[in-house]
Amino acid sequence: NPADDKRATRLKKDVLRGSLDLLVLAVLVDGPAHGYALQKKLAHTTGQTLPAGTLYPLLHRLEAEHLVSATWDHATKRPRKRYELTPAGQKRLQRDGADWQAFVARIHGLLLPALRQLQHHPPPPE
């Protein structure tokens, strides 16, 4: 159903938007990466394409907050910035990651029983 697909896509985008900082920091745990590599990894992991106009301002903000550091990589024809997690970024990832896990567990605790109940007592057809 196209309306269901559209709603599911909107939900995924809303969840992604609310957790982008955490996701970018998590990707950088694997080591330094260029913006394009981050964009590809996030798309692969989340199933959602993150536009460059969203990613690069976010990376600049994380850099200004000292959560990531950026250095120019001149190993290719065109210099590119490489982003790396800082110790402050690692601490933020640990703290926010734990908060995120606790939040997901609470949501899970609410949704699972509700979905089980609906399986046993489905709503009447519309």
Side-chain angles (χ1 to χ4, degrees):
N1 178 347
D4 288 341
D5 291 345
K6 188 174 182 179
R7 188 177 61 253
T9 298
R10 187 180 68 240
L11 176 63
K12 287 178 190 175
K13 284 183 179 182
D14 288 347
V15 170
L16 180 64
R17 190 176 305 116
S19 54
L20 276 178
D21 290 16
L22 185 61
L23 294 173
V24 168
L25 296 176
V27 169
L28 289 173
V29 164
D30 293 338
H34 300 103
Y36 182 69
L38 284 167
Q39 192 177 33
K40 285 179 63 172
K41 175 87 176 195
L42 289 167
H44 176 75
T45 303
T46 65
Q48 297 292 309
T49 301
L50 185 61
T54 299
L55 178 61
Y56 288 101
L58 176 123
L59 287 167
H60 294 151
R61 183 175 51 74
L62 294 176
E63 186 179 9
E65 294 175 9
H66 306 288
L67 301 176
V68 302
S69 61
T71 55
W72 285 101
D73 180 1
H74 296 280
T76 58
K77 277 185 177 181
R78 198 184 91 208
R80 300 185 300 170
K81 267 191 178 181
R82 278 179 33 169
Y83 297 91
E84 186 170 4
L85 197 59
T86 65
Q90 291 173 355
K91 287 178 185 173
R92 173 75 62 85
L93 176 58
Q94 282 184 306
R95 187 192 73 213
D96 289 358
D99 290 347
W100 177 252
Q101 285 183 310
F103 175 73
V104 168
R106 289 191 300 274
I107 297 300
H108 199 248
L110 176 68
L111 285 178
L112 274 183
L115 294 173
R116 282 191 201 114
Q117 186 175 349
L118 286 176
Q119 280 181 332
H120 298 306
H121 308 285
E126 294 177 16

